[in-house]
Amino acid sequence: MEMTKEAIHLCLKRKQLRDNPKEVKDSLYLNNRGFSEIRNLEPFTEVRVLHLESNKLTRINNLEALKRLQTLCLQKNKIANIEKLHRCKELKFLDISKNDISRIDNLSSVKKLETLIISQNNLTKVDSIEHLPRIPRLRELDLGSNKIDCPPEGILKILSNCKSLRVLTLAKNPFVKKMPHYRKMVLITCPELKCLDGRVVCEEERRRCKAWGKVILNGGTFAEAQDADREELMRIRREMSIKNNMKRRGCDEEYYPQLSSSIIQSLMKTLGINETRRSISMISWTHTSRDVLSDDEDQFSNDGLEQHFISTSKPSRRARKSLNSSWSSGQIAQKIQNMKTTGKAFDDDFVSMSALFPPPPPPRVVD
């Protein structure tokens, strides 16, 4: 079926739009019509979204008049080549999935293109996707369900040069099953990814992959990298345990500081906490430190702390009874935040008791 003016007018809903095509400023729906060629779109100069999916198109052409086109949907056609899009300067979204494309090309001139969906095509080799780094603003890329079957090193090298990439889909390609530790390898290659194969990359996974990849990039084995991953997981769990306990003891989120890993590790070092332990409440830390405070020096005693934590991992009875007369975890968090803002750091093996835990105010005397 030819894309004649009469056929296009039949797709428009209102008579006013048929009489004045320039009033079509948003979307033009020409999908599911059986068109074999793009023609007669010159009057629609204000169109921003063009739907041409589910036709019988074999070429991309005659789009020069659409100066403001931002979204182009061409899926489910018979297109073999990407061509003649250099005039579409405003194009941001291109869906060309379910066609017969064997090579990505001619998109370097589309400077504002951010999303490219080219799944279920005939991409097979590394050469077919080597054009991707030339698309400067590419943020979302869908290469899923193609036939890419080649050494993964070449694919990872190309992806590493796509600096703006944030969302990536590679699933259902033959090389995915052949790549050991596929997800981690992709994430260390593209560290700024926010979503891979439809699964969001959380901060925990990002940190674990960074620790894992550091070993691999330095020539370590997969077993050594797995150990580094496991250590990072334990570190994350310790941090979350400390933060949750501090919140639970009445620390308002408004004043709650986001403790960095270095601050938490230094605090544990100061208090003599064994790193293999995962969950010890902050109030127990406070009272234990006061119990083992030496008379001669205003410092913590590692021996006393270690002996206490061997016997218990929960707040002591004394800690629970004297909660009202001690510093809350919110105040402890505030003290740590003050240290961060004033430039003080936990560099020494011990920290002064007065610097971290000042004595609580004296009880109020009621006459």
Side-chain angles (χ1 to χ4, degrees), residues 306-342:
E306 191 66 29
Q307 184 64 32
H308 174 83
F309 288 116
I310 291 175
S311 61
T312 178
S313 61
K314 297 180 180 179
S316 63
R317 183 177 299 178
R318 177 188 172 186
R320 293 194 296 270
K321 285 184 177 180
S322 58
L323 177 62
N324 294 330
S325 63
S326 64
W327 289 94
S328 67
S329 56
Q331 291 169 307
I332 296 173
Q334 190 63 40
K335 294 298 177 183
I336 298 172
Q337 181 65 13
N338 292 339
M339 285 189 172
K340 292 173 64 177
T341 55
T342 56

Side-chain angles (χ1 to χ4, degrees), residues 101-305:
I101 296 173
S102 58
R103 183 182 178 85
I104 300 174
D105 208 353
N106 301 320
L107 289 176
S108 58
S109 58
V110 188
K111 302 296 185 181
K112 295 185 179 182
L113 185 63
E114 297 180 355
T115 301
L116 176 61
I117 303 176
I118 194 168
S119 58
Q120 300 187 46
N121 278 276
N122 292 326
L123 303 177
T124 58
K125 300 179 180 180
V126 175
D127 298 343
S128 61
I129 63 172
E130 64 181 2
H131 183 73
L132 289 175
R134 301 179 186 177
I135 308 175
R137 296 188 181 182
L138 186 62
R139 294 180 59 87
E140 300 184 24
L141 175 63
D142 187 351
L143 293 172
S145 301
N146 275 282
K147 304 172 184 177
I148 304 175
D149 189 7
C150 56
E153 292 79 9
I155 298 174
L156 294 177
K157 183 178 180 180
I158 292 174
L159 294 177
S160 65
N161 293 324
C162 298
K163 303 300 182 181
S164 301
L165 198 60
R166 296 295 180 270
V167 180
L168 176 63
T169 300
L170 296 171
K172 298 183 180 180
N173 278 287
F175 82 92
V176 171
K177 295 183 178 180
K178 299 178 181 180
M179 183 188 300
H181 303 281
Y182 154 73
R183 187 171 177 87
K184 291 181 178 178
M185 290 296 294
V186 174
L187 289 180
I188 64 174
T189 303
C190 305
E192 300 298 326
L193 277 184
K194 296 182 178 180
C195 183
L196 175 60
D197 292 338
R199 180 177 152 196
V200 176
V201 182
C202 63
E203 185 60 28
E204 175 182 334
E205 183 179 18
R206 194 182 305 278
R207 286 179 55 180
R208 293 176 61 183
C209 288
K210 184 178 180 179
W212 186 90
K214 186 176 181 180
V215 177
I216 296 297
L217 296 177
N218 290 332
T221 63
F222 285 127
E224 294 172 345
Q226 198 67 24
D227 292 338
D229 180 15
R230 193 177 297 109
E231 291 177 2
E232 186 66 25
L233 176 60
M234 296 300 296
R235 189 176 296 111
I236 292 171
R237 287 178 175 176
R238 288 195 300 267
E239 293 176 12
M240 291 303 299
S241 176
I242 293 172
K243 292 179 181 181
N244 290 336
N245 282 326
M246 293 176 72
K247 283 186 177 181
R248 192 158 46 243
R249 300 313 304 178
C251 181
D252 295 334
E253 190 171 351
E254 179 181 358
Y255 300 102
Y256 175 67
Q258 295 295 325
L259 299 181
S260 63
S261 176
S262 59
I263 291 292
I264 291 175
Q265 291 297 318
S266 300
L267 179 60
M268 295 176 69
K269 180 180 179 181
T270 299
L271 297 177
I273 307 301
N274 188 350
E275 289 192 359
T276 59
R277 297 188 176 275
R278 290 170 48 186
S279 177
I280 302 173
S281 70
M282 285 296 298
I283 192 65
S284 180
W285 288 7
T286 308
H287 285 279
T288 303
S289 62
R290 288 176 179 162
D291 290 342
V292 298
L293 183 65
S294 61
D295 296 332
D296 299 331
E297 297 180 354
D298 193 22
Q299 291 179 337
F300 295 118
S301 168
N302 269 346
D303 297 335
L305 285 166

Side-chain angles (χ1 to χ4, degrees), residues 336-359:
I336 298 172
Q337 181 65 13
N338 292 339
M339 285 189 172
K340 292 173 64 177
T341 55
T342 56
K344 295 181 180 179
F346 297 97
D347 294 329
D348 301 325
D349 292 339
F350 300 102
V351 171
S352 172
M353 179 63 143
S354 59
L356 187 60
F357 301 119

